[in-house]
Amino acid sequence: MSNNVASWGSFIKSIASYSGDLASMTAPPFILSPVSLTEYPQFWAEHPDIFVAIAEEADPEKRILLVTKWFITTLRGQYASRNEQLGSEKKPLNPFLGEIFMGKYQPAAGTPTRDIGETILVSEQVSHHPPITAYSIFNDKAGIELQGFSGFKASFSAASIGVKQVGHALVYIKEYDEHYLITLPVLHIEGILSFAPYVELEGHSFIQSTSGYSADLSYSGKGYFSGKKNSFKATISKSAIKQEGKPLYSIKGQWTGTSMVKNEATGKEELFYDSKSTPQYTFSVKPLEEQHEYESRKAWLKVSEAIKLGDYDLISKEKSKIENAQRDLRKAEEAGKPWQSRFFVACDPRVNNGDKYVELSTSLGNKPNSCTNGAPSQQNWRFVREKYDKGEIKA
Ligand code: 0T9
């Protein structure tokens, strides 16, 4: 541990004097995770049954409630799972350009579940500087699709790291030809001085639907409105823009615990979501020998093993191999064709990101999934389903 403490100290110092790319920063081995950031989109559908239930609901007012509930179910995995399972937040592997992670959600063995068909995840690193991961999760049986992209910008203060997320997520429901735009909350990392970093959410995020309904979510941690960590409040309203007057529903609780929903018209209150209710699904990827060399777990295998051994020299050695191969690829591309995403296209951003309201109908047009107008842009990515269907690499 004394070694760790020493390297943690210099790590903290390097954070304080930091100017550059957090993802590529060197951290002491005990804080390194053997998991790449391309894997993180899997948290978007840890509960595929709750995800597909959105498309099965005929009433748009209930659908916005279901979208909000599903969104809340994704937070624990995204932001608290490292802390809960490993004792602290961990620094993920910084994905290389073109890295892929894909798989399927399966009912856990022995759990009686209804047949919801296949839910598939396709995730790809579409940019290395800055790091951006694009993803899609779809279930054809239910006719529902999620797509989005994710990057982040970090800032530093004495005792914490602030992280502003870049990107957004879009849900599409085929039967109702309906879109939901989801913005991502700001987060910060606490516990740095006590060697146990963990994530807390702050500020607002929004869900806005072409049906006209919207949700306004706000987050706080210990010492704020509820005094409990991982707290949130949400209001659901019928208007798309800034919510005025009384909301239809209000929700409050902890995204790592339970939350309650109140019908503002009747005053009736009931359980909204209990995150500790047994997870029924597991995420599964193909066996390593069937994976493409760009698939995350295969590509990072040796680095991951070195991290698990805590062998710093081996970690650097194996990481360098990947980095050098990438450098050679980029060099070769300078002369010829630039690298192109396998499953996504860069396109003109028509969505404002950040914690502000976005008029979905005007900013996205009628076809948020089409990517026809505007020049390619690194700031917005769209999933191209045909590229997956016609491609060789399958989940
Ligand atoms: C998208 C999510 C994102 C990725 C992570 C900031 C962070 C990398 C990005 C934003 C997911 O949908 C949600 C959750 C957690 C975010 C990570 C938390 C974190 O600390 C890392 C950064 C790069 C670090 O690893 C910094 C080192 C830290 C563990 C020690 C101080």
PDB file of all heavy atoms in Angstrom, residues 23 33-43 78 82 89-96 99 101 123-125 131-135 150-152 296 300:
ATOM      1  N   ALA A  23      -8.412  11.179 -20.205  1.00  0.00           N
ATOM      2  CA  ALA A  23      -8.476   9.768 -20.579  1.00  0.00           C
ATOM      3  C   ALA A  23      -7.085   9.174 -20.795  1.00  0.00           C
ATOM      4  O   ALA A  23      -6.884   7.982 -20.595  1.00  0.00           O
ATOM      5  CB  ALA A  23      -9.318   9.608 -21.833  1.00  0.00           C
ATOM      6  N   SER A  33      -8.926   0.201 -14.227  1.00  0.00           N
ATOM      7  CA  SER A  33      -9.916  -0.840 -14.470  1.00  0.00           C
ATOM      8  C   SER A  33      -9.516  -1.605 -15.728  1.00  0.00           C
ATOM      9  O   SER A  33      -9.009  -1.009 -16.679  1.00  0.00           O
ATOM     10  CB  SER A  33     -11.282  -0.186 -14.669  1.00  0.00           C
ATOM     11  OG  SER A  33     -12.093  -0.993 -15.473  1.00  0.00           O
ATOM     12  N   PRO A  34      -9.726  -2.917 -15.741  1.00  0.00           N
ATOM     13  CA  PRO A  34      -9.399  -3.685 -16.948  1.00  0.00           C
ATOM     14  C   PRO A  34     -10.490  -3.585 -18.011  1.00  0.00           C
ATOM     15  O   PRO A  34     -10.481  -4.322 -18.990  1.00  0.00           O
ATOM     16  CB  PRO A  34      -9.283  -5.118 -16.410  1.00  0.00           C
ATOM     17  CG  PRO A  34     -10.166  -5.151 -15.219  1.00  0.00           C
ATOM     18  CD  PRO A  34     -10.187  -3.760 -14.641  1.00  0.00           C
ATOM     19  N   VAL A  35     -11.430  -2.660 -17.816  1.00  0.00           N
ATOM     20  CA  VAL A  35     -12.582  -2.543 -18.720  1.00  0.00           C
ATOM     21  C   VAL A  35     -12.481  -1.258 -19.537  1.00  0.00           C
ATOM     22  O   VAL A  35     -12.198  -0.187 -18.997  1.00  0.00           O
ATOM     23  CB  VAL A  35     -13.894  -2.552 -17.903  1.00  0.00           C
ATOM     24  CG1 VAL A  35     -15.095  -2.306 -18.796  1.00  0.00           C
ATOM     25  CG2 VAL A  35     -14.038  -3.872 -17.156  1.00  0.00           C
ATOM     26  N   SER A  36     -12.729  -1.373 -20.817  1.00  0.00           N
ATOM     27  CA  SER A  36     -12.654  -0.211 -21.710  1.00  0.00           C
ATOM     28  C   SER A  36     -13.957   0.593 -21.689  1.00  0.00           C
ATOM     29  O   SER A  36     -15.038   0.053 -21.467  1.00  0.00           O
ATOM     30  CB  SER A  36     -12.379  -0.695 -23.128  1.00  0.00           C
ATOM     31  OG  SER A  36     -12.728   0.286 -24.055  1.00  0.00           O
ATOM     32  N   LEU A  37     -13.838   1.886 -21.959  1.00  0.00           N
ATOM     33  CA  LEU A  37     -15.024   2.755 -22.014  1.00  0.00           C
ATOM     34  C   LEU A  37     -16.022   2.336 -23.097  1.00  0.00           C
ATOM     35  O   LEU A  37     -17.195   2.673 -22.998  1.00  0.00           O
ATOM     36  CB  LEU A  37     -14.597   4.204 -22.290  1.00  0.00           C
ATOM     37  CG  LEU A  37     -14.457   5.156 -21.103  1.00  0.00           C
ATOM     38  CD1 LEU A  37     -14.191   6.570 -21.616  1.00  0.00           C
ATOM     39  CD2 LEU A  37     -15.716   5.176 -20.225  1.00  0.00           C
ATOM     40  N   THR A  38     -15.565   1.596 -24.106  1.00  0.00           N
ATOM     41  CA  THR A  38     -16.534   1.143 -25.134  1.00  0.00           C
ATOM     42  C   THR A  38     -17.561   0.176 -24.535  1.00  0.00           C
ATOM     43  O   THR A  38     -18.600  -0.061 -25.121  1.00  0.00           O
ATOM     44  CB  THR A  38     -15.860   0.408 -26.321  1.00  0.00           C
ATOM     45  OG1 THR A  38     -15.063  -0.654 -25.802  1.00  0.00           O
ATOM     46  CG2 THR A  38     -15.035   1.347 -27.167  1.00  0.00           C
ATOM     47  N   GLU A  39     -17.256  -0.374 -23.336  1.00  0.00           N
ATOM     48  CA  GLU A  39     -18.209  -1.293 -22.704  1.00  0.00           C
ATOM     49  C   GLU A  39     -19.333  -0.560 -21.970  1.00  0.00           C
ATOM     50  O   GLU A  39     -20.379  -1.133 -21.688  1.00  0.00           O
ATOM     51  CB  GLU A  39     -17.488  -2.215 -21.694  1.00  0.00           C
ATOM     52  CG  GLU A  39     -16.534  -3.206 -22.334  1.00  0.00           C
ATOM     53  CD  GLU A  39     -16.381  -4.483 -21.499  1.00  0.00           C
ATOM     54  OE1 GLU A  39     -17.213  -4.738 -20.609  1.00  0.00           O
ATOM     55  OE2 GLU A  39     -15.413  -5.215 -21.751  1.00  0.00           O
ATOM     56  N   TYR A  40     -19.084   0.717 -21.631  1.00  0.00           N
ATOM     57  CA  TYR A  40     -20.037   1.411 -20.762  1.00  0.00           C
ATOM     58  C   TYR A  40     -21.450   1.558 -21.333  1.00  0.00           C
ATOM     59  O   TYR A  40     -22.414   1.568 -20.557  1.00  0.00           O
ATOM     60  CB  TYR A  40     -19.485   2.782 -20.328  1.00  0.00           C
ATOM     61  CG  TYR A  40     -18.427   2.722 -19.230  1.00  0.00           C
ATOM     62  CD1 TYR A  40     -17.516   1.671 -19.188  1.00  0.00           C
ATOM     63  CD2 TYR A  40     -18.346   3.696 -18.254  1.00  0.00           C
ATOM     64  CE1 TYR A  40     -16.539   1.620 -18.198  1.00  0.00           C
ATOM     65  CE2 TYR A  40     -17.372   3.653 -17.253  1.00  0.00           C
ATOM     66  CZ  TYR A  40     -16.477   2.614 -17.237  1.00  0.00           C
ATOM     67  OH  TYR A  40     -15.515   2.555 -16.253  1.00  0.00           O
ATOM     68  N   PRO A  41     -21.630   1.657 -22.653  1.00  0.00           N
ATOM     69  CA  PRO A  41     -23.012   1.760 -23.155  1.00  0.00           C
ATOM     70  C   PRO A  41     -23.904   0.567 -22.773  1.00  0.00           C
ATOM     71  O   PRO A  41     -25.128   0.669 -22.856  1.00  0.00           O
ATOM     72  CB  PRO A  41     -22.819   1.842 -24.676  1.00  0.00           C
ATOM     73  CG  PRO A  41     -21.488   2.487 -24.843  1.00  0.00           C
ATOM     74  CD  PRO A  41     -20.646   1.895 -23.728  1.00  0.00           C
ATOM     75  N   GLN A  42     -23.295  -0.537 -22.342  1.00  0.00           N
ATOM     76  CA  GLN A  42     -24.131  -1.682 -21.957  1.00  0.00           C
ATOM     77  C   GLN A  42     -25.076  -1.348 -20.799  1.00  0.00           C
ATOM     78  O   GLN A  42     -26.124  -1.975 -20.643  1.00  0.00           O
ATOM     79  CB  GLN A  42     -23.293  -2.908 -21.610  1.00  0.00           C
ATOM     80  CG  GLN A  42     -22.548  -2.810 -20.300  1.00  0.00           C
ATOM     81  CD  GLN A  42     -21.735  -4.068 -20.003  1.00  0.00           C
ATOM     82  OE1 GLN A  42     -22.226  -5.038 -19.468  1.00  0.00           O
ATOM     83  NE2 GLN A  42     -20.470  -4.036 -20.381  1.00  0.00           N
ATOM     84  N   PHE A  43     -24.712  -0.338 -19.999  1.00  0.00           N
ATOM     85  CA  PHE A  43     -25.561   0.004 -18.854  1.00  0.00           C
ATOM     86  C   PHE A  43     -26.904   0.597 -19.287  1.00  0.00           C
ATOM     87  O   PHE A  43     -27.841   0.662 -18.490  1.00  0.00           O
ATOM     88  CB  PHE A  43     -24.840   0.987 -17.929  1.00  0.00           C
ATOM     89  CG  PHE A  43     -23.567   0.430 -17.358  1.00  0.00           C
ATOM     90  CD1 PHE A  43     -22.345   1.062 -17.578  1.00  0.00           C
ATOM     91  CD2 PHE A  43     -23.582  -0.738 -16.611  1.00  0.00           C
ATOM     92  CE1 PHE A  43     -21.167   0.543 -17.064  1.00  0.00           C
ATOM     93  CE2 PHE A  43     -22.401  -1.272 -16.091  1.00  0.00           C
ATOM     94  CZ  PHE A  43     -21.198  -0.617 -16.326  1.00  0.00           C
ATOM     95  N   GLN A  78     -24.318   2.808 -14.774  1.00  0.00           N
ATOM     96  CA  GLN A  78     -23.436   3.808 -15.392  1.00  0.00           C
ATOM     97  C   GLN A  78     -22.498   4.445 -14.375  1.00  0.00           C
ATOM     98  O   GLN A  78     -21.323   4.636 -14.644  1.00  0.00           O
ATOM     99  CB  GLN A  78     -24.251   4.974 -15.985  1.00  0.00           C
ATOM    100  CG  GLN A  78     -25.334   4.602 -16.948  1.00  0.00           C
ATOM    101  CD  GLN A  78     -24.889   4.680 -18.392  1.00  0.00           C
ATOM    102  OE1 GLN A  78     -23.713   4.501 -18.683  1.00  0.00           O
ATOM    103  NE2 GLN A  78     -25.812   4.897 -19.285  1.00  0.00           N
ATOM    104  N   ARG A  82     -18.997   0.562 -10.420  1.00  0.00           N
ATOM    105  CA  ARG A  82     -17.583   0.337 -10.025  1.00  0.00           C
ATOM    106  C   ARG A  82     -17.436   0.522  -8.520  1.00  0.00           C
ATOM    107  O   ARG A  82     -16.811  -0.277  -7.830  1.00  0.00           O
ATOM    108  CB  ARG A  82     -16.627   1.295 -10.758  1.00  0.00           C
ATOM    109  CG  ARG A  82     -16.189   0.851 -12.144  1.00  0.00           C
ATOM    110  CD  ARG A  82     -17.106   1.234 -13.222  1.00  0.00           C
ATOM    111  NE  ARG A  82     -17.503   2.647 -13.203  1.00  0.00           N
ATOM    112  CZ  ARG A  82     -18.550   3.115 -13.873  1.00  0.00           C
ATOM    113  NH1 ARG A  82     -19.292   2.320 -14.594  1.00  0.00           N
ATOM    114  NH2 ARG A  82     -18.875   4.381 -13.821  1.00  0.00           N
ATOM    115  N   GLU A  89     -14.549   4.242  -7.789  1.00  0.00           N
ATOM    116  CA  GLU A  89     -14.547   4.465  -9.232  1.00  0.00           C
ATOM    117  C   GLU A  89     -13.186   4.029  -9.753  1.00  0.00           C
ATOM    118  O   GLU A  89     -12.200   4.102  -9.022  1.00  0.00           O
ATOM    119  CB  GLU A  89     -14.793   5.942  -9.528  1.00  0.00           C
ATOM    120  CG  GLU A  89     -14.902   6.291 -10.998  1.00  0.00           C
ATOM    121  CD  GLU A  89     -16.023   5.556 -11.710  1.00  0.00           C
ATOM    122  OE1 GLU A  89     -17.177   5.635 -11.272  1.00  0.00           O
ATOM    123  OE2 GLU A  89     -15.745   4.881 -12.712  1.00  0.00           O
ATOM    124  N   LYS A  90     -13.144   3.536 -10.983  1.00  0.00           N
ATOM    125  CA  LYS A  90     -11.861   3.102 -11.550  1.00  0.00           C
ATOM    126  C   LYS A  90     -11.644   3.805 -12.880  1.00  0.00           C
ATOM    127  O   LYS A  90     -12.597   4.159 -13.559  1.00  0.00           O
ATOM    128  CB  LYS A  90     -11.884   1.589 -11.790  1.00  0.00           C
ATOM    129  CG  LYS A  90     -12.066   0.757 -10.530  1.00  0.00           C
ATOM    130  CD  LYS A  90     -10.744   0.497  -9.851  1.00  0.00           C
ATOM    131  CE  LYS A  90     -10.985  -0.239  -8.527  1.00  0.00           C
ATOM    132  NZ  LYS A  90      -9.752  -0.546  -7.828  1.00  0.00           N
ATOM    133  N   LYS A  91     -10.393   3.960 -13.240  1.00  0.00           N
ATOM    134  CA  LYS A  91     -10.093   4.596 -14.515  1.00  0.00           C
ATOM    135  C   LYS A  91     -10.196   3.570 -15.635  1.00  0.00           C
ATOM    136  O   LYS A  91      -9.432   2.613 -15.678  1.00  0.00           O
ATOM    137  CB  LYS A  91      -8.687   5.189 -14.481  1.00  0.00           C
ATOM    138  CG  LYS A  91      -8.349   6.010 -15.708  1.00  0.00           C
ATOM    139  CD  LYS A  91      -6.972   6.622 -15.584  1.00  0.00           C
ATOM    140  CE  LYS A  91      -6.710   7.587 -16.728  1.00  0.00           C
ATOM    141  NZ  LYS A  91      -6.761   6.926 -18.038  1.00  0.00           N
ATOM    142  N   PRO A  92     -11.159   3.769 -16.537  1.00  0.00           N
ATOM    143  CA  PRO A  92     -11.347   2.776 -17.601  1.00  0.00           C
ATOM    144  C   PRO A  92     -10.223   2.837 -18.632  1.00  0.00           C
ATOM    145  O   PRO A  92      -9.497   3.824 -18.713  1.00  0.00           O
ATOM    146  CB  PRO A  92     -12.673   3.201 -18.250  1.00  0.00           C
ATOM    147  CG  PRO A  92     -12.816   4.652 -17.936  1.00  0.00           C
ATOM    148  CD  PRO A  92     -12.113   4.882 -16.628  1.00  0.00           C
ATOM    149  N   LEU A  93     -10.080   1.781 -19.406  1.00  0.00           N
ATOM    150  CA  LEU A  93      -9.133   1.790 -20.517  1.00  0.00           C
ATOM    151  C   LEU A  93      -9.611   2.807 -21.545  1.00  0.00           C
ATOM    152  O   LEU A  93     -10.805   2.920 -21.804  1.00  0.00           O
ATOM    153  CB  LEU A  93      -9.066   0.394 -21.158  1.00  0.00           C
ATOM    154  CG  LEU A  93      -8.482  -0.708 -20.273  1.00  0.00           C
ATOM    155  CD1 LEU A  93      -8.739  -2.073 -20.897  1.00  0.00           C
ATOM    156  CD2 LEU A  93      -6.996  -0.474 -20.074  1.00  0.00           C
ATOM    157  N   ASN A  94      -8.671   3.547 -22.096  1.00  0.00           N
ATOM    158  CA  ASN A  94      -8.977   4.581 -23.079  1.00  0.00           C
ATOM    159  C   ASN A  94      -9.072   3.911 -24.455  1.00  0.00           C
ATOM    160  O   ASN A  94      -8.056   3.488 -24.996  1.00  0.00           O
ATOM    161  CB  ASN A  94      -7.854   5.624 -23.033  1.00  0.00           C
ATOM    162  CG  ASN A  94      -8.116   6.792 -23.934  1.00  0.00           C
ATOM    163  OD1 ASN A  94      -9.253   6.999 -24.389  1.00  0.00           O
ATOM    164  ND2 ASN A  94      -7.078   7.556 -24.217  1.00  0.00           N
ATOM    165  N   PRO A  95     -10.268   3.810 -25.022  1.00  0.00           N
ATOM    166  CA  PRO A  95     -10.440   3.001 -26.236  1.00  0.00           C
ATOM    167  C   PRO A  95      -9.629   3.523 -27.422  1.00  0.00           C
ATOM    168  O   PRO A  95      -9.390   4.716 -27.539  1.00  0.00           O
ATOM    169  CB  PRO A  95     -11.934   3.138 -26.540  1.00  0.00           C
ATOM    170  CG  PRO A  95     -12.562   3.613 -25.283  1.00  0.00           C
ATOM    171  CD  PRO A  95     -11.527   4.417 -24.572  1.00  0.00           C
ATOM    172  N   PHE A  96      -9.227   2.600 -28.298  1.00  0.00           N
ATOM    173  CA  PHE A  96      -8.556   3.019 -29.533  1.00  0.00           C
ATOM    174  C   PHE A  96      -9.610   3.244 -30.610  1.00  0.00           C
ATOM    175  O   PHE A  96     -10.741   2.772 -30.491  1.00  0.00           O
ATOM    176  CB  PHE A  96      -7.500   1.982 -29.957  1.00  0.00           C
ATOM    177  CG  PHE A  96      -8.038   0.583 -30.169  1.00  0.00           C
ATOM    178  CD1 PHE A  96      -8.574   0.202 -31.398  1.00  0.00           C
ATOM    179  CD2 PHE A  96      -8.012  -0.353 -29.135  1.00  0.00           C
ATOM    180  CE1 PHE A  96      -9.068  -1.090 -31.599  1.00  0.00           C
ATOM    181  CE2 PHE A  96      -8.504  -1.645 -29.326  1.00  0.00           C
ATOM    182  CZ  PHE A  96      -9.034  -2.010 -30.561  1.00  0.00           C
ATOM    183  N   GLU A  99     -12.396   0.712 -32.022  1.00  0.00           N
ATOM    184  CA  GLU A  99     -12.661  -0.377 -31.068  1.00  0.00           C
ATOM    185  C   GLU A  99     -14.166  -0.659 -31.008  1.00  0.00           C
ATOM    186  O   GLU A  99     -14.981   0.260 -31.024  1.00  0.00           O
ATOM    187  CB  GLU A  99     -12.136   0.028 -29.680  1.00  0.00           C
ATOM    188  CG  GLU A  99     -12.280  -1.060 -28.634  1.00  0.00           C
ATOM    189  CD  GLU A  99     -11.691  -0.617 -27.283  1.00  0.00           C
ATOM    190  OE1 GLU A  99     -10.681   0.116 -27.267  1.00  0.00           O
ATOM    191  OE2 GLU A  99     -12.262  -1.026 -26.251  1.00  0.00           O
ATOM    192  N   PHE A 101     -17.460  -2.916 -29.208  1.00  0.00           N
ATOM    193  CA  PHE A 101     -17.967  -3.783 -28.146  1.00  0.00           C
ATOM    194  C   PHE A 101     -19.414  -4.113 -28.491  1.00  0.00           C
ATOM    195  O   PHE A 101     -20.218  -3.227 -28.742  1.00  0.00           O
ATOM    196  CB  PHE A 101     -17.895  -3.083 -26.785  1.00  0.00           C
ATOM    197  CG  PHE A 101     -18.345  -3.953 -25.649  1.00  0.00           C
ATOM    198  CD1 PHE A 101     -17.588  -5.052 -25.249  1.00  0.00           C
ATOM    199  CD2 PHE A 101     -19.544  -3.706 -24.993  1.00  0.00           C
ATOM    200  CE1 PHE A 101     -18.006  -5.875 -24.209  1.00  0.00           C
ATOM    201  CE2 PHE A 101     -19.969  -4.528 -23.942  1.00  0.00           C
ATOM    202  CZ  PHE A 101     -19.186  -5.610 -23.559  1.00  0.00           C
ATOM    203  N   SER A 123     -21.495  -1.025 -29.924  1.00  0.00           N
ATOM    204  CA  SER A 123     -20.806   0.164 -29.449  1.00  0.00           C
ATOM    205  C   SER A 123     -19.476   0.274 -30.186  1.00  0.00           C
ATOM    206  O   SER A 123     -18.819  -0.739 -30.455  1.00  0.00           O
ATOM    207  CB  SER A 123     -20.614   0.024 -27.933  1.00  0.00           C
ATOM    208  OG  SER A 123     -19.567   0.814 -27.453  1.00  0.00           O
ATOM    209  N   GLU A 124     -19.092   1.489 -30.543  1.00  0.00           N
ATOM    210  CA  GLU A 124     -17.851   1.668 -31.307  1.00  0.00           C
ATOM    211  C   GLU A 124     -17.176   2.978 -30.907  1.00  0.00           C
ATOM    212  O   GLU A 124     -17.846   3.992 -30.707  1.00  0.00           O
ATOM    213  CB  GLU A 124     -18.165   1.695 -32.808  1.00  0.00           C
ATOM    214  CG  GLU A 124     -16.921   1.824 -33.675  1.00  0.00           C
ATOM    215  CD  GLU A 124     -17.222   1.900 -35.174  1.00  0.00           C
ATOM    216  OE1 GLU A 124     -18.393   1.785 -35.559  1.00  0.00           O
ATOM    217  OE2 GLU A 124     -16.263   2.095 -35.939  1.00  0.00           O
ATOM    218  N   GLN A 125     -15.851   2.941 -30.827  1.00  0.00           N
ATOM    219  CA  GLN A 125     -15.101   4.172 -30.563  1.00  0.00           C
ATOM    220  C   GLN A 125     -14.965   4.911 -31.884  1.00  0.00           C
ATOM    221  O   GLN A 125     -14.248   4.470 -32.768  1.00  0.00           O
ATOM    222  CB  GLN A 125     -13.733   3.827 -29.948  1.00  0.00           C
ATOM    223  CG  GLN A 125     -13.028   5.013 -29.338  1.00  0.00           C
ATOM    224  CD  GLN A 125     -13.750   5.517 -28.081  1.00  0.00           C
ATOM    225  OE1 GLN A 125     -14.634   4.836 -27.543  1.00  0.00           O
ATOM    226  NE2 GLN A 125     -13.406   6.703 -27.628  1.00  0.00           N
ATOM    227  N   PRO A 131     -11.900  11.422 -26.939  1.00  0.00           N
ATOM    228  CA  PRO A 131     -12.551  10.115 -26.946  1.00  0.00           C
ATOM    229  C   PRO A 131     -14.081  10.229 -27.049  1.00  0.00           C
ATOM    230  O   PRO A 131     -14.697  10.923 -26.251  1.00  0.00           O
ATOM    231  CB  PRO A 131     -12.166   9.502 -25.587  1.00  0.00           C
ATOM    232  CG  PRO A 131     -11.204  10.424 -24.951  1.00  0.00           C
ATOM    233  CD  PRO A 131     -11.263  11.737 -25.654  1.00  0.00           C
ATOM    234  N   ILE A 132     -14.647   9.580 -28.064  1.00  0.00           N
ATOM    235  CA  ILE A 132     -16.108   9.533 -28.197  1.00  0.00           C
ATOM    236  C   ILE A 132     -16.538   8.121 -28.534  1.00  0.00           C
ATOM    237  O   ILE A 132     -15.988   7.481 -29.436  1.00  0.00           O
ATOM    238  CB  ILE A 132     -16.615  10.496 -29.295  1.00  0.00           C
ATOM    239  CG1 ILE A 132     -16.289  11.946 -28.922  1.00  0.00           C
ATOM    240  CG2 ILE A 132     -18.133  10.346 -29.511  1.00  0.00           C
ATOM    241  CD1 ILE A 132     -16.650  12.964 -29.967  1.00  0.00           C
ATOM    242  N   THR A 133     -17.496   7.622 -27.776  1.00  0.00           N
ATOM    243  CA  THR A 133     -18.053   6.299 -28.011  1.00  0.00           C
ATOM    244  C   THR A 133     -19.468   6.466 -28.545  1.00  0.00           C
ATOM    245  O   THR A 133     -20.266   7.199 -27.958  1.00  0.00           O
ATOM    246  CB  THR A 133     -18.119   5.498 -26.688  1.00  0.00           C
ATOM    247  OG1 THR A 133     -16.848   5.556 -26.037  1.00  0.00           O
ATOM    248  CG2 THR A 133     -18.479   4.043 -26.942  1.00  0.00           C
ATOM    249  N   ALA A 134     -19.774   5.817 -29.652  1.00  0.00           N
ATOM    250  CA  ALA A 134     -21.140   5.849 -30.179  1.00  0.00           C
ATOM    251  C   ALA A 134     -21.761   4.470 -29.969  1.00  0.00           C
ATOM    252  O   ALA A 134     -21.053   3.459 -29.929  1.00  0.00           O
ATOM    253  CB  ALA A 134     -21.137   6.215 -31.658  1.00  0.00           C
ATOM    254  N   TYR A 135     -23.084   4.428 -29.802  1.00  0.00           N
ATOM    255  CA  TYR A 135     -23.699   3.140 -29.478  1.00  0.00           C
ATOM    256  C   TYR A 135     -25.128   3.072 -29.979  1.00  0.00           C
ATOM    257  O   TYR A 135     -25.771   4.096 -30.230  1.00  0.00           O
ATOM    258  CB  TYR A 135     -23.700   2.905 -27.952  1.00  0.00           C
ATOM    259  CG  TYR A 135     -24.319   4.054 -27.183  1.00  0.00           C
ATOM    260  CD1 TYR A 135     -25.692   4.103 -26.939  1.00  0.00           C
ATOM    261  CD2 TYR A 135     -23.525   5.108 -26.743  1.00  0.00           C
ATOM    262  CE1 TYR A 135     -26.255   5.176 -26.264  1.00  0.00           C
ATOM    263  CE2 TYR A 135     -24.080   6.178 -26.076  1.00  0.00           C
ATOM    264  CZ  TYR A 135     -25.441   6.210 -25.829  1.00  0.00           C
ATOM    265  OH  TYR A 135     -25.992   7.282 -25.178  1.00  0.00           O
ATOM    266  N   SER A 150     -21.177   9.468 -26.703  1.00  0.00           N
ATOM    267  CA  SER A 150     -20.774   9.915 -25.378  1.00  0.00           C
ATOM    268  C   SER A 150     -19.303  10.294 -25.324  1.00  0.00           C
ATOM    269  O   SER A 150     -18.423   9.539 -25.740  1.00  0.00           O
ATOM    270  CB  SER A 150     -21.085   8.760 -24.417  1.00  0.00           C
ATOM    271  OG  SER A 150     -20.296   8.831 -23.270  1.00  0.00           O
ATOM    272  N   GLY A 151     -19.055  11.504 -24.848  1.00  0.00           N
ATOM    273  CA  GLY A 151     -17.705  11.963 -24.590  1.00  0.00           C
ATOM    274  C   GLY A 151     -17.744  12.764 -23.301  1.00  0.00           C
ATOM    275  O   GLY A 151     -18.790  12.867 -22.670  1.00  0.00           O
ATOM    276  N   PHE A 152     -16.617  13.320 -22.883  1.00  0.00           N
ATOM    277  CA  PHE A 152     -16.661  14.111 -21.648  1.00  0.00           C
ATOM    278  C   PHE A 152     -15.543  15.142 -21.614  1.00  0.00           C
ATOM    279  O   PHE A 152     -14.530  15.002 -22.286  1.00  0.00           O
ATOM    280  CB  PHE A 152     -16.601  13.223 -20.413  1.00  0.00           C
ATOM    281  CG  PHE A 152     -15.351  12.385 -20.338  1.00  0.00           C
ATOM    282  CD1 PHE A 152     -14.222  12.856 -19.684  1.00  0.00           C
ATOM    283  CD2 PHE A 152     -15.300  11.133 -20.939  1.00  0.00           C
ATOM    284  CE1 PHE A 152     -13.057  12.100 -19.630  1.00  0.00           C
ATOM    285  CE2 PHE A 152     -14.128  10.366 -20.889  1.00  0.00           C
ATOM    286  CZ  PHE A 152     -13.015  10.844 -20.232  1.00  0.00           C
ATOM    287  N   SER A 296     -13.330  -5.206 -28.130  1.00  0.00           N
ATOM    288  CA  SER A 296     -12.672  -4.702 -26.938  1.00  0.00           C
ATOM    289  C   SER A 296     -11.977  -5.759 -26.075  1.00  0.00           C
ATOM    290  O   SER A 296     -10.794  -5.652 -25.766  1.00  0.00           O
ATOM    291  CB  SER A 296     -13.710  -3.943 -26.113  1.00  0.00           C
ATOM    292  OG  SER A 296     -13.085  -3.274 -25.074  1.00  0.00           O
ATOM    293  N   TRP A 300      -7.880  -5.938 -25.767  1.00  0.00           N
ATOM    294  CA  TRP A 300      -7.258  -5.499 -24.508  1.00  0.00           C
ATOM    295  C   TRP A 300      -6.876  -6.658 -23.584  1.00  0.00           C
ATOM    296  O   TRP A 300      -6.426  -6.421 -22.458  1.00  0.00           O
ATOM    297  CB  TRP A 300      -8.207  -4.564 -23.751  1.00  0.00           C
ATOM    298  CG  TRP A 300      -8.367  -3.212 -24.363  1.00  0.00           C
ATOM    299  CD1 TRP A 300      -9.465  -2.755 -25.029  1.00  0.00           C
ATOM    300  CD2 TRP A 300      -7.428  -2.115 -24.349  1.00  0.00           C
ATOM    301  NE1 TRP A 300      -9.276  -1.460 -25.434  1.00  0.00           N
ATOM    302  CE2 TRP A 300      -8.030  -1.040 -25.032  1.00  0.00           C
ATOM    303  CE3 TRP A 300      -6.138  -1.952 -23.831  1.00  0.00           C
ATOM    304  CZ2 TRP A 300      -7.388   0.192 -25.206  1.00  0.00           C
ATOM    305  CZ3 TRP A 300      -5.505  -0.733 -24.014  1.00  0.00           C
ATOM    306  CH2 TRP A 300      -6.124   0.325 -24.696  1.00  0.00           C
TER     307      TRP A 300
END
